[in-house]
Amino acid sequence: MAEGPDPVVADLEQEVTCGICHDRYQEPKLLPCCHYYCKQCILTLSSRYQPNQPFPCPDCREPTLLPDNNPDRLPTAFFINRMKALHSRMEKAHGKLETTCEMCSGGKATAFCRQCVSFICDDCVKSHKMKVFAGHAISTLDELKQGGVKELTFESPSPPKCEDHEELKKIFCFDCNKLICRDCIVIEHAGHNYEFVKKAAPATRKKLTEHLSPLKNLLPDLSTAVNQVKGTKQKIQAQKELTERQVNAKFQELHDILDRCKVRVLRESSALADSRMEKLTVQEKGLDLSLGTAQSLIDFVECTLENASDEELITMQEQVVSRIDAEVVKRGKEAANPDPVEKDDFGVKVFVCEDLKKLCENNIIVHEGKPIVKGDGIKTAEVDKYARLNVYISSKQGKPQAVLKSLVDQSTQQLQAVPVRGGVYSVEYTPRVRGRHHLLISVDDQPIPGSPFSVFIKIPPTKLDKPVRVIRGINKPQYMAFNSSEELIVTDYDGDVLLFDKKGKQIRSISKSKHGFRNISGVAVDKEDNIYVCDKGKHCVYKFNKRGDLLKRFGTKGRGPKELNYPRGIAVAGDQVFVCDQDNHRVQVLTTELEPVKQIGSYGTGNEHFNHPQDVTVDNEQMMYVTDCCNHRVQVLTMDGRFIRSIGKKGNGQGDLSCPYGVCVTCFVYIAEVTNKRVSVFTKDGQFITLFGNAHIISFGVAVDSDGFVYVCSQESVVVF
């Protein structure tokens, strides 16, 4: 029977194999993490990364920086070279490699001398009986096989020679962390801290042993942790397999139920159809007979008209007419209403299938034991309208706790979690305050993943009936915009550009006295919070940075491409600026650097024509809304000026407009009307929803903040709804 591979040789084979190239180590180098690989393998690995960029160790993923991108600067893994030599001798001892004498001319080796560290032949074995070889231990190859590695170990090699002085390096310099010779002490390492290797080695071994002890002490804990992870993996795998079986069984049950339902529905549908088809077949035969009778009568009369004499025709007249009239009445009824009972609108209603689909989508939840939340109530809700969400937890966790906190007025609302079934709780609430909220959900006093959830509470436009506050101290407010800090920017027609905080307190301004404003109107903000202002009186547009420093000015009075004539509203969308050029009856399109691009529209009443446009805005679908003031409408256009639809018509009723000035678009379209002194609200497709305001509010500009509050410019104030 053939011998199996020697386990010692196999272990050594693994120890001397590089983990990258899977071949014998060639010039093994030691990484800082104490893993080692071939020099060339390290160089190849580091070349995949940028110079001076760390590369991960293949074993432990520890980042490693190659000194000067040169693997020669890494320490040599000398012990690997010794293990390679040992492995080679083991292979020779086991006959895997041809073994020749290493001391003479090359006869076949039969033994091994531990002192000479060489395989020797029979002649050299005899020579070793001389006095000069006294004390040398000789082992035969069979003894080597039985003794294994212990028989082949040998003393450490002699110290290396100094490259500069040809002396043995028997001294270690602690300051330079390198081996040196006696001459080095006098020359390069004078005054350094050094010690003979023989003397320093015991202390070094002791130090390493002491440092190794805590790491060894961690092994039981690490082993326990590994076993725990393995056990958890086994449990999860078992749970996975159990879940798969349960899911397959449950869905097979549902499948069987649906199959039975399908068979029943098809059977009943088929029976119903067959029953009706039977009736219709009888009816069809009757109608075919009637059709034949009518056609036969027609053929008879036409033949009579063609062939009968006048006398015969007059004689038959009464009988034929009577028959025709009777057939017309009888067959007319059959043709007009063949069977009022039998209709073709039967079948399985689609909503049953849709309800089943919705049931599956909303109630089949997969989670890994961590609490999760599903439902529209974690994203959006509406004031005074019921909202709901579900919390899914494991059976070992306690009842969820939920709090709804308003970021508008900091009020809180405690929510109840009602158990639905095992591990599922329903949280229901009716929000009282509009705007942004945080929904905080915790289980066992710990926030669940994703908490707090950002919830936006909407208010329907139909409830915007009363002002909630008034911002005063503005002489003639015209238009408004919000920057990224939620600061309100208002243009005062005869004054400054004013900035207010969320509470309505003025915080700074861009002054008329500094920039020489005459009659400022439209205002807009870009993504970098630069402020664009129209000056109607000076027929120009200003661009300021967010600090209020003037960056650029565009326009002079006129009708040309670089001219304006009473500019009013302004909007910024992406890298384009849109200006309502009032008395030129057009919209000027500029870059954000205030360079002209094109003009949209001209004077008129048709589509893509304007009569004193007052304001412009662009929604999140890249649609442009222009208040066409003297045409009493809002035109919806693409950003290149193509007409889409018109909203409103002249009048003062619901859905009518009269001199619309300001416009703002969210999910609704808010239109401020000067003449009607109100704000009308429409859907984006032009359907009227509601209106609000009163006789004391003259509506100019209109804006909506991130919490859904609507700001309306009136005389001497901004009214907030």
Side-chain angles (χ1 to χ4, degrees):
M1 182 176 178
E3 292 185 8
D6 186 275
V8 177
V9 178
D11 288 343
L12 274 176
E13 176 74 29
Q14 185 175 356
E15 291 294 332
V16 298
T17 300
C18 174
I20 296 178
C21 66
H22 304 293
D23 204 348
R24 298 282 176 86
Y25 282 108
Q26 301 295 325
E27 297 184 83
K29 293 291 183 177
L30 188 66
L31 298 181
C33 59
C34 295
H35 291 111
Y36 37 85
Y37 306 95
C38 302
K39 183 178 80 172
Q40 186 58 43
C41 292
I42 293 174
L43 187 61
T44 302
L45 180 62
S46 66
S47 67
R48 299 173 186 170
Y49 298 83
Q50 295 294 329
N52 299 319
Q53 179 185 0
F55 62 90
C57 167
D59 273 329
C60 64
R61 314 308 296 172
E62 185 75 17
T64 301
L65 186 63
L66 195 61
D68 299 328
N69 294 316
N70 184 4
D72 288 327
R73 297 286 303 277
L74 295 172
T76 298
F78 57 86
F79 51 92
I80 295 298
N81 287 330
R82 295 183 62 193
M83 291 181 71
K84 283 175 63 181
L86 179 60
H87 178 261
S88 176
R89 286 180 168 79
M90 285 292 293
E91 288 189 316
K92 290 179 180 180
H94 284 259
K96 291 188 174 183
L97 294 177
E98 184 179 355
T99 310
T100 58
C101 182
E102 297 173 345
M103 295 190 67
C104 67
S105 59
K108 184 176 180 180
T110 58
F112 181 77
C113 176
R114 295 187 63 191
Q115 279 67 37
C116 297
V117 197
S118 300
F119 285 92
I120 57 178
C121 62
D122 288 338
D123 291 338
C124 292
V125 170
K126 293 174 183 179
S127 300
H128 268 63
K129 294 179 180 179
M130 298 170 63
K131 286 186 178 181
V132 69
F133 295 110
H136 283 215
I138 306 295
S139 301
T140 66
L141 296 185
D142 288 338
E143 289 172 341
L144 290 179
K145 290 181 182 180
Q146 295 173 3
V149 174
K150 184 177 180 180
E151 293 293 332
L152 287 168
T153 54
F154 42 85
E155 296 180 359
S156 300
S158 59
K161 285 187 177 182
C162 179
E163 297 84 357
D164 299 324
H165 309 115
E166 293 297 322
E167 294 285 338
L168 294 179
K169 295 180 178 179
K170 295 184 177 181
I171 302 167
F172 185 77
C173 178
F174 292 99
D175 292 344
C176 301
N177 195 35
K178 64 184 293 187
L179 291 169
I180 59 175
C181 70
R182 288 179 182 271
D183 291 348
C184 293
I185 297 174
V186 180
I187 304 172
E188 294 92 347
H189 300 267
H192 287 198
N193 180 25
Y194 58 85
E195 184 61 88
F196 282 97
V197 171
K198 288 285 187 184
K199 188 174 180 181
T204 301
R205 292 181 186 278
K206 181 180 179 182
K207 181 179 178 181
L208 288 175
T209 302
E210 290 174 351
H211 277 73
L212 197 60
S213 180
L215 188 59
K216 285 184 175 180
N217 293 337
L218 287 175
L219 290 180
D221 292 339
L222 289 172
S223 179
T224 300
V226 169
N227 291 332
Q228 287 176 344
V229 171
K230 287 181 178 178
T232 302
K233 285 178 64 180
Q234 291 173 352
K235 290 180 181 178
I236 290 176
Q237 181 63 31
Q239 183 62 42
K240 173 188 173 185
E241 294 171 358
L242 175 61
T243 301
E244 286 177 352
R245 291 194 297 271
Q246 291 175 337
V247 168
N248 287 332
K250 183 58 66 177
F251 274 86
Q252 185 60 48
E253 181 182 348
L254 292 173
H255 188 274
D256 293 343
I257 292 172
L258 288 173
D259 273 349
R260 291 195 296 272
C261 181
K262 172 184 172 183
V263 171
R264 177 183 62 79
V265 171
L266 289 175
R267 183 179 64 248
E268 293 176 358
S269 176
S270 178
L272 179 59
D274 290 345
S275 173
R276 295 191 175 185
M277 289 287 286
E278 184 178 348
K279 294 179 181 179
L280 291 170
T281 299
V282 173
Q283 188 177 18
E284 181 185 16
K285 290 180 179 179
L287 288 171
D288 281 341
L289 179 61
S290 298
L291 178 61
T293 302
Q295 187 62 52
S296 176
L297 181 57
I298 291 170
D299 293 342
F300 169 76
V301 174
E302 288 179 344
C303 182
T304 301
L305 289 171
E306 184 178 350
N307 299 305
S309 65
D310 292 344
E311 293 79 10
E312 292 172 335
L313 192 62
I314 292 174
T315 304
M316 298 171 59
Q317 172 188 349
E318 185 176 349
Q319 178 184 355
V320 173
V321 169
S322 175
R323 179 60 179 168
I324 290 174
D325 291 344
E327 284 295 317
V328 168
V329 173
K330 183 177 181 180
R331 306 311 172 192
K333 290 181 179 180
E334 291 176 348
N337 192 10
D339 190 345
V341 177
E342 302 306 326
K343 299 188 182 286
D344 60 356
D345 59 343
F346 74 95
V348 182
K349 296 298 182 183
V350 176
F351 72 82
V352 175
C353 299
E354 292 299 321
D355 286 349
L356 182 60
K357 177 182 176 183
K358 185 176 180 181
L359 180 67
C360 292
E361 288 178 344
N362 293 339
N363 290 279
I364 299 177
I365 303 296
V366 179
H367 65 102
E368 55 179 352
K370 296 179 182 178
I372 61 173
V373 182
K374 295 286 185 180
D376 293 336
I378 60 170
K379 296 178 182 178
T380 183
E382 191 173 298
V383 171
D384 297 331
K385 192 172 181 180
Y386 166 87
R388 179 184 174 186
L389 56 97
N390 285 339
V391 182
Y392 299 83
I393 62 174
S394 71
S395 57
K396 297 180 181 179
Q397 293 173 314
K399 182 179 179 181
Q401 305 294 320
V403 177
L404 185 66
K405 181 179 180 180
S406 169
L407 301 182
V408 177
D409 63 5
Q410 304 303 312
S411 61
T412 59
Q413 200 172 338
Q414 297 290 332
L415 311 181
Q416 293 296 319
V418 180
V420 178
R421 55 183 181 276
V424 182
Y425 287 81
S426 174
V427 177
E428 303 171 355
Y429 64 96
T430 304
R432 300 185 294 263
V433 180
R434 70 174 126 167
R436 293 166 295 170
H437 286 64
H438 275 167
L439 178 59
L440 302 95
I441 303 177
S442 61
V443 177
D444 297 332
D445 297 324
Q446 294 295 321
I448 70 171
S451 178
F453 299 93
S454 294
V455 184
F456 185 77
I457 309 300
K458 300 179 292 186
I459 184 170
T462 52
K463 293 187 177 181
L464 297 172
D465 52 348
K466 295 180 181 179
V468 294
R469 67 177 182 274
V470 177
I471 301 173
R472 303 187 186 278
I474 313 168
N475 186 28
K476 293 180 180 179
Q478 293 292 295
Y479 293 90
M480 299 167 290
F482 289 95
N483 61 20
S484 62
S485 301
E486 288 292 305
E487 294 169 343
L488 174 66
I489 306 171
V490 185
T491 52
D492 189 341
Y493 187 68
D494 293 327
D496 303 334
V497 179
L498 307 173
L499 285 86
F500 299 84
D501 63 16
K502 290 283 285 185
K503 295 181 180 179
K505 178 182 177 182
Q506 184 180 332
I507 50 179
R508 61 184 182 278
S509 66
I510 302 174
S511 69
K512 173 181 180 178
S513 60
K514 180 177 180 179
H515 298 287
F517 302 143
R518 185 170 298 168
N519 302 121
I520 53 176
S521 52
V523 61
V525 179
D526 67 17
K527 60 185 177 182
E528 295 177 355
D529 280 345
N530 295 313
I531 303 170
Y532 300 77
V533 178
C534 291
D535 191 331
K536 176 184 174 184
K538 287 194 171 182
H539 311 281
C540 68
V541 174
Y542 301 98
K543 178 181 178 180
F544 301 92
N545 64 20
K546 59 184 177 182
R547 295 184 301 274
D549 303 319
L550 180 64
L551 301 178
K552 198 166 185 179
R553 171 177 166 169
F554 167 82
T556 56
K557 186 175 182 179
R559 300 186 180 279
K562 294 186 178 181
E563 297 174 324
L564 298 168
N565 199 359
Y566 296 106
R568 293 290 292 180
I570 188 170
V572 180
D575 58 356
Q576 290 187 313
V577 179
F578 300 85
V579 182
C580 281
D581 194 357
Q582 174 185 289
D583 281 14
N584 283 331
H585 311 287
R586 66 189 180 188
V587 175
Q588 281 257 36
V589 184
L590 314 173
T591 68
T592 50
E593 294 303 316
L594 301 186
E595 295 296 331
V597 177
K598 60 184 175 182
Q599 296 84 42
I600 296 174
S602 59
Y603 178 76
T605 58
N607 299 336
E608 301 174 17
H609 291 78
F610 303 110
N611 188 352
H612 292 83
Q614 295 298 307
D615 197 11
V616 58
T617 190
V618 178
D619 70 6
N620 56 7
E621 297 173 345
Q622 304 300 298
M623 291 294 169
M624 178 170 57
Y625 295 73
V626 181
T627 52
D628 192 1
C629 180
C630 294
N631 284 327
H632 309 284
R633 64 185 178 182
V634 170
Q635 288 198 60
V636 184
L637 311 162
T638 62
M639 289 178 63
D640 59 1
R642 182 169 55 85
F643 177 81
I644 300 298
R645 71 180 67 89
S646 179
I647 299 176
K649 65 181 190 310
K650 184 177 181 180
N652 56 15
Q654 293 187 347
D656 295 335
L657 298 175
S658 182
C659 295
Y661 260 57
V663 61
C664 178
V665 181
T666 57
C667 53
F668 303 106
V669 182
Y670 297 85
I671 303 171
E673 305 174 64
V674 171
T675 306
N676 284 333
K677 298 182 180 180
R678 68 190 186 189
V679 175
S680 291
V681 187
F682 296 80
T683 63
K684 285 187 176 184
D685 60 3
Q687 299 298 313
F688 174 76
I689 298 175
T690 189
L691 54 85
F692 59 91
N694 55 57
H696 303 291
I697 299 175
I698 300 176
S699 303
F700 293 104
V702 60
V704 180
D705 70 11
S706 60
D707 290 313
F709 289 91
V710 182
Y711 295 67
V712 181
C713 286
S714 185
Q715 287 182 319
E716 299 182 353
S717 64
V718 172
V719 184
V720 185
F721 290 84

